[in-house]
Every structure is written in C-alpha cells, then in structure tokens.
C-alpha cells in the first residue's frame, strides 16, 4: 500500500479529507472570531468602568479638598469678625493653631471707629512651595483685619472619605505637584497598562483655581 493511500485511508479519499478539513475550518473560525470580539467587548467594558470609577473618585477627592478649604475660609472669617468686634485679641489670633490650620500672619488697621456698617470679606488662595495658604481680608467701616493661615497637609490632603484601591491621585498647582495620595506601588508595577486622566477644579472666584490629575 502506498504512503498516500495510508495517509487518507481513514477518510477514504482525498476529497473526503479536504471536506473534513473544510468543516473543521468552518467550525474553528466562528469560535476564534467570537473569542476575539468577546475579548474586545469585555476589555472595553472594563476600561470604561475603570475610567468612570477614576473620574468619580478623583472628583470626589477634589470636592473633599475644596470643602476643607471652604471650612478653613469660614473659620478664619469668624475669627476675623471676632477680632474686628474686639472680642478676640490680636495676639491670641497670631498664636492660633488648630488641627486644621495655623495662623502665620495677621495685619490690622487698628483705627478706632464706632462705625458698625456691614461686614465685608474677601478670601484668596496662595502657594508657598507646596504649602497652601488662605488669606481672609475682613473690614467693617474704616477698620480692616487680614489673617493668613497655612493649612495642615494631613487635614487638607487626607483621602479618608475616598476609596483609592489601586489608584493614585495627584493635585497640581500652577508650577508644582502639591500632593499625591493612593497606591504608589500598584501604579509603579502597572505603568504600561495604567489609565490616566486630568481635569480642572475651579474653586470659585473667592478662592481661586486648582487642578487635579488622576491615574488608575
């Protein structure tokens, strides 16, 4: 028996062998195509879910930072109001320190006045290196009091209200990276596959503007 007849003996003829191979190909191709399509659909879904979670978490963190800036601003405004009403000595204001901030500068126009007009307030946000400073200017009539406070980093940047599993969020100022929170080791191990995004947080006209950059 020749080698050719032995090779195709199980299928009878060369035509049967080719028919069998065609059926196998027709059965395998849909499976391969379906697997590729399913992989792309699942990968896209997982990436979109990760991007949505990243955006939600980073915005939550940005709003958390903004809320702490706002609370500090309100606390300084109350202190300034007490100072203008002569209910809190300036020396006590200069020495004020809490778990949220510490007063670094107080400027007062101590001109005596009986004017009890409306209380006017302005606030601004500034950076000294990576230190965040809030300045409140408050006036009543001819009297003016300016208080500048430095926020405690452990209070301002603490991500205790944000879920940061395998995620790292960095806040950037105009010229420097202010603070990063999250899982640095996990990001370093998966840099090639990491998902990144960036958005800006506007802190309203009385405080200023900051930017958040997030990575998962």
């Amino acid at each position: 028996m020749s080698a050719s007849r032995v090779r195709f003996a199980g299928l009878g003829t060369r035509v049967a062998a080719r028919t069998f191979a065609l059926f196998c190909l027709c059965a395998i191709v849909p499976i391969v195509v379906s697997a590729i399509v399913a992989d792309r659909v699942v990968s896209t879904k997982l990436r979109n879910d990760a991007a949505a979670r990243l955006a939600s978490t980073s915005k939550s963190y940005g709003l958390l930072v903004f809320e702490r800036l706002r609370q500090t601003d309100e606390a300084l405004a109350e202190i300034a109001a007490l100072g203008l009403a002569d209910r809190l000595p300036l020396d006590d204001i200069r020495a004020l320190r809490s778990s949220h901030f510490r007063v670094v500068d107080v400027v007062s126009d101590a001109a005596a006045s009986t004017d009890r007009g409306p209380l006017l307030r302005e606030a601004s946000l500034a950076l000294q290196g990576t230190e965040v400073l809030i300045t409140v200017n408050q006036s009543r009539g001819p009297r003016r009091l300016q208080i500048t406070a430095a926020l405690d980093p452990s209070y301002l940047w603490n991500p205790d209200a944000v879920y940061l599993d395998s995620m790292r969020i960095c806040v950037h100022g105009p010229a420097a990276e202010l603070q990063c929170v999250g899982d640095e080791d996990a990001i370093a191990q998966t840099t090639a596959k990491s998902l990144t995004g960036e958005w800006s947080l506007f802190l309203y006209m009385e405080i200023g503007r900051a930017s958040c950059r997030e990575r998962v």
Side-chain angles (χ1 to χ4, degrees):
M1 183 180 292
S2 67
S4 177
R5 294 184 62 185
V6 171
R7 181 180 178 185
F8 295 103
L11 297 175
T13 65
R14 187 183 296 273
V15 173
R18 290 176 177 174
T19 303
F20 175 74
L22 180 62
F23 273 107
C24 290
L25 183 62
C26 291
I28 292 173
V29 168
I31 295 174
V32 173
V33 172
S34 298
I36 294 174
V37 172
D39 177 70
R40 290 188 176 181
V41 170
V42 172
S43 298
T44 301
K45 174 64 174 174
L46 292 175
R47 186 176 182 85
N48 290 341
D49 289 346
R53 185 168 65 91
L54 172 63
S56 176
T57 302
S58 62
K59 289 179 182 179
S60 295
Y61 182 67
L63 292 175
L64 176 68
V65 171
F66 169 73
E67 180 63 20
R68 289 174 175 172
L69 290 171
R70 188 184 64 81
Q71 290 175 354
T72 303
D73 171 52
E74 291 178 351
L76 292 176
E78 292 178 3
I79 294 170
L82 293 174
L84 288 173
D86 296 325
R87 297 172 56 188
L88 186 63
L90 295 182
D91 289 342
D92 289 349
I93 296 177
R94 291 188 177 94
L96 186 61
R97 179 186 294 266
S98 72
S99 60
H100 296 173
F101 63 87
R102 59 183 176 85
V103 174
V104 296
D105 187 39
V106 177
V107 178
S108 173
D109 181 355
S113 175
T114 58
D115 186 352
R116 295 298 178 181
L119 197 62
L120 304 177
R121 179 173 68 89
E122 295 179 356
S124 61
L125 182 67
L127 297 175
Q128 191 173 49
T130 59
E131 188 174 49
V132 179
L133 305 175
I134 288 184
T135 299
V136 170
N137 281 287
Q138 196 142 295
S139 61
R140 172 171 283 166
R143 300 189 63 187
R144 183 179 65 87
L145 184 60
Q146 176 181 294
I147 302 176
T148 300
L151 282 91
D152 189 322
S154 63
Y155 165 69
L156 180 61
W157 308 120
N158 185 0
D160 54 3
V162 180
Y163 183 63
L164 292 173
D165 182 32
S166 299
M167 186 179 297
R168 186 165 175 79
I169 296 179
C170 295
V171 180
H172 293 255
E177 184 175 88
L178 301 181
Q179 182 73 16
C180 289
V181 295
D183 193 346
E184 184 175 6
D185 294 335
I187 297 302
Q189 295 171 4
T190 59
T191 302
K193 300 179 180 179
S194 63
L195 179 66
T196 63
E198 185 170 354
W199 63 281
S200 294
L201 173 66
F202 294 88
L203 301 180
Y204 303 104
M205 60 182 180
E206 72 271 14
I207 294 182
R209 174 182 175 180
S211 174
C212 289
R213 177 171 298 166
E214 60 273 3
R215 172 178 289 182
V216 64

